[in-house]
Amino acid sequence: MTQQLKEQVLEANLDLVREGLVQFTFGNASGIDRATGLVAIKPSGVPYDKLRPEDMVVTDLSGKIVEGKLKPSSDLDTHLLLYREFPAIGGVAHTHSMYATVWAQAGRAIPALGTTHADYFYGEVPVTDELTDKEIGGEYVHNTGVAIVRRFQGLDPLAVPAVLVAGHAPFAWGKNALEAAHHAALLEAVARMAWHTMTLNPECRGVSQALLDRHYFRKHGAKATYGQ
Amino acid sequence: MTQQLKEQVLEANLDLVREGLVQFTFGNASGIDRATGLVAIKPSGVPYDKLRPEDMVVTDLSGKIVEGKLKPSSDLDTHLLLYREFPAIGGVAHTHSMYATVWAQAGRAIPALGTTHADYFYGEVPVTDELTDKEIGGEYVHNTGVAIVRRFQGLDPLAVPAVLVAGHAPFAWGKNALEAAHHAALLEAVARMAWHTMTLNPECRGVSQALLDRHYFRKHGAKATYGQ
Amino acid sequence: MTQQLKEQVLEANLDLVREGLVQFTFGNASGIDRATGLVAIKPSGVPYDKLRPEDMVVTDLSGKIVEGKLKPSSDLDTHLLLYREFPAIGGVAHTHSMYATVWAQAGRAIPALGTTHADYFYGEVPVTDELTDKEIGGEYVHNTGVAIVRRFQGLDPLAVPAVLVAGHAPFAWGKNALEAAHHAALLEAVARMAWHTMTLNPECRGVSQALLDRHYFRKHGAKATYGQ
Amino acid sequence: MTQQLKEQVLEANLDLVREGLVQFTFGNASGIDRATGLVAIKPSGVPYDKLRPEDMVVTDLSGKIVEGKLKPSSDLDTHLLLYREFPAIGGVAHTHSMYATVWAQAGRAIPALGTTHADYFYGEVPVTDELTDKEIGGEYVHNTGVAIVRRFQGLDPLAVPAVLVAGHAPFAWGKNALEAAHHAALLEAVARMAWHTMTLNPECRGVSQALLDRHYFRKHGAKATYGQ
């Protein structure tokens, strides 16, 4: 029953590598089966070229390991909190992809500067506050998720399917693990364009609300017209 | 009769991918048979590695589908307006290639900073005005073409075979679909050099009119001497 | 007895190439057998694709050649001084990798701007003072090592396993030649992110001490929890 | 007799492509047999993947075609002037490689910012004056060479084996066509590092004369110690 989930999660992890989003072992993707509440995630610190479906670690939503012999990704507690707090999502991907990480390190949200951005992210990709020393010293990985959820108050996670954790790196999500990985790739493309745009023209204001609406709803929602 | 056109349009679309101008499905090329007024264009949102000549959609200049079972590219109406307004062109290519898109997002024309530019673009590559909310809310794709045509008043589309749509991305054109794709690639190379030049030396003024003339007319017009 | 050391040193040199850290012949790695005090290093100016284990040059800690028919890397004396002064290290790697070299040329330390950095370097990657004319005119290669050791007074070489030599390029080290090469690759990744971050936001202050501690000690020391 | 020269010149042209210095047909390399005064050069505007040794065009030093059925590179007259004025050189390479062209477009010499530069270029890589309208309107290609030679008054072409032509692109040279192509590749690597260095730290002063001397003479002249 978890076999299909584990295979999909493995594919999502390999997509991160194929899209050039992961160097060394900085990255992990997970997926959840909402019917059972079981989460499959990459094991910690295992080289990507050796991963098999059975290496994926399956836990419940509290982090109790249900299947698998390896330790789960050290970022598990962030994934779990996102699944508990964002009930509409089915997959999470975390990378240290270059340009998205640069925006996170700079502590700046990625503004919506063009239609490439608007096609996938309905507004800026936000950045969390820096974690306090107390949050870092406590349940750090869990608190990373807390900072994300706090930043998304009033936002729809599916309309803006990614976030930058200040001083750290991005998280992306989607309706399943594969879409989460795809959003991580789109985030990197958008972050790269935005970096080059702001460096050329620091005064750039970005697209109008009308253009944001037009592009986003061309690909999303009941009136979407894009594709076959 | 449209078979040859469809094959050429497919090749032009694949050239966009081979030249690294397209990520995911952001891009499309079309061509027109001026004798019949029929336009062949890539279908909407189909992965490039699955495209076959018979997947190309053929329409007349008003957008009525004449051949093909798939929906045409969502940018069709921009292509059609360019064909109607620029009678000398036979192909159009649209991409979100990184550096050209960055100039479009920054809302700045690409100045003629060197001979690489002058060999193909006789002067700056212009940027359109931003579309108004009314233009965006109305026939948006058509109005994108209107903004391009408005910006080209007094310019020769074949002497400057590309444009940046503000906040969006570039369009390039040529005497057929293959040349349009080639111009899209040259535009990206020129945009990349110009980005790096202006970042190094924001005061850079660009080439003289004499150098622009010399290089452009070495490769174009009755007195061209380049090549075999 | 030195066979295994020579094979490992060859692999480390090839890792530098595979990680894209070396262009032409700018780069070299070495390793030491602490039991015998013998050092194996790449020969000088030999193309990487022709290197065999038996081409590695073996010297003692004073630089006397013990095995091998080729001349050792021209940077040998820097490696030897590092082995004499940093008794905990077992391998050294020197490259002119792009971004690390850029920071060295700019004469600036790489600040700890994010968790990617903190995972491997416990604080900024320091830059040496420029060598004086007298140091350059004398035993230049040896004096390069002197400048590094001087800069590391009060620092733990294994907690910050790399340095930038001002106006020159980086050196990295580790518990053996392979780890030294791995640290050279991590340094380049971190240098690249830091370059892009400071260019986007020159005011960036970097991570807090609490975050630096949390990430560094997650992967290092008695309480490390990362990996299997 | 010219067979060997033509083969070497073809290899040098292909090296430019293999090193990533040429996009489309922007680039050409030539070599001279000083005994006979014959120059072999790439033909104009022929795709690189179709070039054979017999396609190389052989001319005398005045540009008279001696062998070959194709038109020579449109930059021939610049190559010829360099051979006439710099008797120590045996090969010339011209590219529009990205970073070197960016410095040329910016109208700025590449300062000697590190030892990577000093290993191959004994001082800054100079930039010519812009050509006057009269020079552009007259024998433009020849006058490009005139501007280079004028800039090298008081300089040794073999100590600084490259130049930037303002608003255009670089030329490099060496003792034969292969070394010219190698110097074109080193120039690009150095230009890329210098671009990133000056963008990070615009106040960067570059290496001392002592360091320039030490590195340059380690690889060049009677006292060279580098390599086997």
Side-chain angles (χ1 to χ4, degrees), chain C residues 43-172:
Chain C
S44 177
V46 175
Y48 283 86
D49 56 1
K50 305 230 163 118
L51 286 178
R52 300 159 305 167
E54 57 266 36
D55 295 328
M56 301 300 113
V57 185
V58 178
T59 77
D60 65 18
L61 271 169
S62 72
K64 195 184 134 199
I65 295 179
V66 173
E67 286 179 32
K69 296 175 184 163
L70 297 169
K71 282 168 56 184
S73 162
S74 59
D75 294 304
L76 172 65
D77 287 353
T78 310
H79 291 241
L80 293 178
L81 188 67
L82 295 178
Y83 287 126
R84 293 198 303 266
E85 297 287 334
F86 297 165
I89 71 173
V92 173
H94 171 53
T95 78
H96 288 208
S97 69
M98 223 282 287
Y99 285 98
T101 301
V102 159
W103 284 92
Q105 291 193 162
R108 290 175 57 174
I110 304 173
L113 298 179
T115 60
T116 323
H117 183 117
D119 277 337
Y120 290 96
F121 302 97
Y122 187 52
E124 69 171 22
V125 176
V127 62
T128 68
D129 288 331
E130 291 185 27
L131 273 66
T132 64
D133 287 7
K134 195 175 162 188
E135 287 172 323
I136 293 167
E139 293 296 323
Y140 167 60
V141 181
H142 170 81
N143 289 336
T144 297
V146 170
I148 295 170
V149 172
R150 194 192 301 143
R151 184 65 191 78
F152 265 73
Q153 283 182 347
L155 293 177
D156 172 3
L158 283 187
V160 182
V163 72
L164 308 173
V165 178
H168 185 165
F171 282 80

Side-chain angles (χ1 to χ4, degrees), chain C residues 11-36:
Chain C
E11 275 313 297
N13 275 287
L14 297 179
D15 278 351
L16 298 181
V17 177
R18 286 187 283 251
E19 292 287 348
L21 306 176
V22 167
Q23 213 186 357
F24 310 113
T25 59
F26 293 115
N28 43 73
S30 71
I32 187 169
D33 176 353
R34 287 287 179 187
T36 59

